Amino acid sequence: MSRVAGWVVLMLALAVSYHPAEAAQAKKAPAKKTTVAVLRPEGSQADALRKVLAAELGKKGRGRVVLPAKKVDAQVKLLRGGPKTEEQRQALAKKLGADILILSSVKGTKRWDVQVRAYSGQDGSLIAEEAWDVRTNRAFPDVRRELEPKLGAALKEGPPQSLPPTAVTPPTPVVSEPEVAPPAPIAEAPRQAVVKPPPPTVTKKEEPPAKPEPKAAGPRDLDGPTLEALLSGQGLFRRFNFSGSNANELPDYSLNSAAAASLAVSYFPLSHFTDGMVHNLGLVARGSRSFGLSTRLPDGSSHPTTAQLIEGGLRFRLPLRWLELSVGALYGTHSFAVELPPESTFALPDVDYRFAHVELGLRKALNERWAIAARVGYQHVLSGGELSSDDYLPELSGSGIDGELAVEFALTRVLGLRVGGEVRSYSFTAGAAEGTPVFAGGAKDLYFSGQLGLYVRL
């Protein structure tokens, strides 16, 4: 009977010592959620697409946490040109504490081409990439419906999780049996071996070969900015002379240097309401005015002088991948006036050109920082102010051409410097009948200005 009691005590001791270890094994450490950073997409519908991606990837029960957009944007701004290389993506993910980076774009007008790419935060490599050709809808129903089925499997492999510590079974207490007769050896019950749980098998998903990323054409958004403004200082030069049989007897005018300020603004209000081709139609206004300018006559007297240019109209742009073309139709005035006293006999007319202006422009990004811009235009002069009066060139007819060439350097994604030059040339004829005595047969008026300014693009 005593031997049976010993066996019972031994089994109870084993059972009591085994349950705590089993409970420790059953208790699992909570799984760590995958941290996802959704970067601002490229394209005019960037904010709408970003909201859809963040909402779908961060849905409850999918084991992910989506970082706030402001935190992500603050770190992206510190990178010049954005995270384009694996090293840049790896550094950005480290600063954000992100396991996955989501980069995307939405382009097109009649239909939207949506691309979504997922990169590993550990090494910046491409994990998965998907594309959609969808109808224009800011809710992106196709992307919302298919995002998780297409990319969810690739994003399930979160950060490596540590295994729970293996429970150690305490040693089995040895129970001695009271001896009645000479002690007989009691066969020790075999101790149950502690079996360590096998490590969880992680099936590694075979990653598709990474496709080469398309190289960006430049820092410009393919849809173009909504607002462009350029404020610059100018150095102004002018040459005016009459032509014809009496030209040698008439005075010329030369302005070797003058200071002026100019402002040019382009605004595309339809970009707020539509993504069709019509959103590239905008308004343009330009103006410049001299300051501190005076004219010295041959007799040594100086007189205040004003030079001013104002024009405005419509502009249509065509953003292409490698450059941006634009065409404009404007109406403007260009005046140059010297405040001569009434008794002055100096035969220099004040000009006040009214003209219709058509122009063609282009802008090409050379790299992330540098770009060149050019413009050429034609003016049909409608009137010339005092120049077209009976005292000078009645029945005046004329035209003008203008051209501009500039180099731009981007300081940030919004601000930049612009250096360039502009030339305007007007030619006029009197239009008088043959043999009729005229003041002069015609006139030529040439302007040149160099400029240095600061531009803003939003």
Side-chain angles (χ1 to χ4, degrees), residues 171-184:
T172 304
V174 179
V175 180
S176 301
E177 183 179 357
E179 299 179 353
V180 178

Side-chain angles (χ1 to χ4, degrees), residues 338-408:
V338 182
E339 298 181 9
L340 297 176
E343 64 274 11
S344 176
T345 59
F346 189 70
L348 179 67
D350 294 338
V351 299
D352 186 10
Y353 307 132
R354 305 297 174 98
F355 56 83
H357 187 190
V358 293
E359 64 180 21
L360 177 67
L362 66 86
R363 181 177 182 275
K364 176 176 175 57
L366 303 178
N367 53 36
E368 295 179 357
R369 292 287 184 180
W370 294 94
I372 58 173
R375 177 172 55 84
V376 62
Y378 170 80
Q379 296 93 23
H380 177 69
V381 180
L382 305 175
S383 66
E386 188 179 0
L387 181 63
S388 58
S389 66
D390 294 338
D391 296 334
Y392 293 96
L393 300 177
E395 304 296 331
L396 173 143
S397 62
S399 62
I401 58 173
D402 72 302
E404 180 184 8
L405 180 64
V407 177
E408 298 178 353

Side-chain angles (χ1 to χ4, degrees), residues 93-106:
K94 184 177 180 181
K95 291 181 179 180
L96 293 172
D99 305 310
I100 302 293
L101 297 180
I102 301 295
L103 279 73
S104 57
S105 64
V106 51

Side-chain angles (χ1 to χ4, degrees), residues 200-221:
T201 57
V202 179
T203 56
K204 187 175 182 181
K205 179 181 176 62
E206 293 186 1
E207 299 180 358
K211 299 178 182 178
E213 298 179 46
K215 295 183 179 179
R220 174 179 55 84
D221 188 344

Side-chain angles (χ1 to χ4, degrees), residues 230 286 373-376 402-406 418 420-423 451:
L230 172 65
R286 290 193 289 262
R375 177 172 55 84
V376 62
D402 72 302
E404 180 184 8
L405 180 64
R418 182 182 176 107
E422 180 182 4
V423 61
Q451 59 176 310

Side-chain angles (χ1 to χ4, degrees), residues 3 5 51-52 56 83 91 109 138 153 233 239 246 252 285 294-295 319 346 377 406 451:
R3 186 180 299 272
K51 290 180 180 178
V52 170
E56 287 301 309
T109 53
R138 293 174 62 87
R239 296 290 184 271
N246 301 330
D252 297 334
S294 62
T295 296
F346 189 70
Q451 59 176 310

